[in-house]
Amino acid sequence: MNSQPNYDSPKVVYDFFLDEPEKMSAALFWIRSLMNPLTESPYDMAPEMMDIKVVIHGTEIVTLVKKNYAKYKDVVERMRYYAALGVEFKVCNLAANDYDYELNDFHEFVELVPSAFTELVHWQQHGYALIIPQVHIRRRSLEEIR
């Protein structure tokens, strides 16, 4: 007998701190891997029943800046899609300052927060699960590894 776990609506805060902006695409799959199984049968959970926040404070911050849209269009549109489903994208103001970015430099779905660390602590103190994507560069195909 194959029984399904009884999952509650998730409360999650993701900690995105990537060493290369190009890893943002892979990191976003961590959101998809949470949402998709829950929106499908047998759970059929509506996205608005999920409380998901993404705190961004690594090199991936450049993907969220309007002037870099052409370079990161696919990633931005995926984030915009998730934002429309209720995912909140929060950029660390300390990191933004390191890059000389201000709020108006970012796309409309981005919120600036004072500090990534205070934001991460805040949400964990309110019962949110912390997920830290680990994005590795695969140098061999799955066929080679098998």
Side-chain angles (χ1 to χ4, degrees):
M1 184 171 157
N2 185 13
S3 66
Q4 298 294 327
N6 186 17
Y7 292 128
D8 292 329
S9 297
K11 291 173 39 176
V12 177
V13 60
Y14 284 90
D15 179 4
F16 279 24
F17 185 71
L18 307 172
D19 60 347
E20 294 292 335
E22 291 71 26
K23 291 184 177 182
M24 185 62 150
S25 180
L28 290 173
F29 282 111
W30 287 61
I31 299 170
R32 183 180 124 189
S33 295
L34 173 73
M35 293 183 78
N36 281 8
L38 294 175
T39 59
E40 296 169 359
S41 188
Y43 303 106
D44 300 315
M45 198 178 292
E48 54 269 16
M49 300 303 294
M50 302 178 205
D51 196 347
I52 302 171
K53 293 150 187 355
V54 181
V55 178
I56 297 166
H57 58 117
T59 63
E60 72 283 358
I61 192 173
V62 302
T63 67
L64 292 152
V65 177
K66 293 175 195 171
K67 72 175 185 170
N68 294 333
Y69 179 75
K71 184 173 184 177
Y72 299 110
K73 178 183 178 185
D74 292 343
V75 169
V76 171
E77 292 308 320
R78 285 173 59 203
M79 287 186 280
R80 187 172 275 127
Y81 168 77
Y82 287 127
L85 294 177
V87 175
E88 297 175 23
F89 290 91
K90 300 170 176 286
V91 170
C92 172
N93 193 51
L94 297 174
N97 286 336
D98 288 344
Y99 287 82
D100 293 324
Y101 295 149
E102 297 176 2
L103 180 59
N104 62 355
D105 292 316
F106 294 100
H107 293 284
E108 75 287 348
F109 59 86
V110 174
E111 176 188 352
L112 273 184
V113 296
S115 161
F117 301 117
T118 55
E119 194 72 11
L120 290 165
V121 168
H122 170 77
W123 293 112
Q124 288 178 79
Q125 288 176 324
H126 284 85
Y128 285 66
L130 173 66
I131 298 178
I132 305 171
Q134 297 179 29
V135 180
H136 303 282
I137 303 298
R138 187 181 320 142
R139 291 172 173 65
R140 296 184 290 155
S141 71
L142 291 178
E143 290 74 25
E144 290 175 296
I145 295 171
R146 285 187 214 153

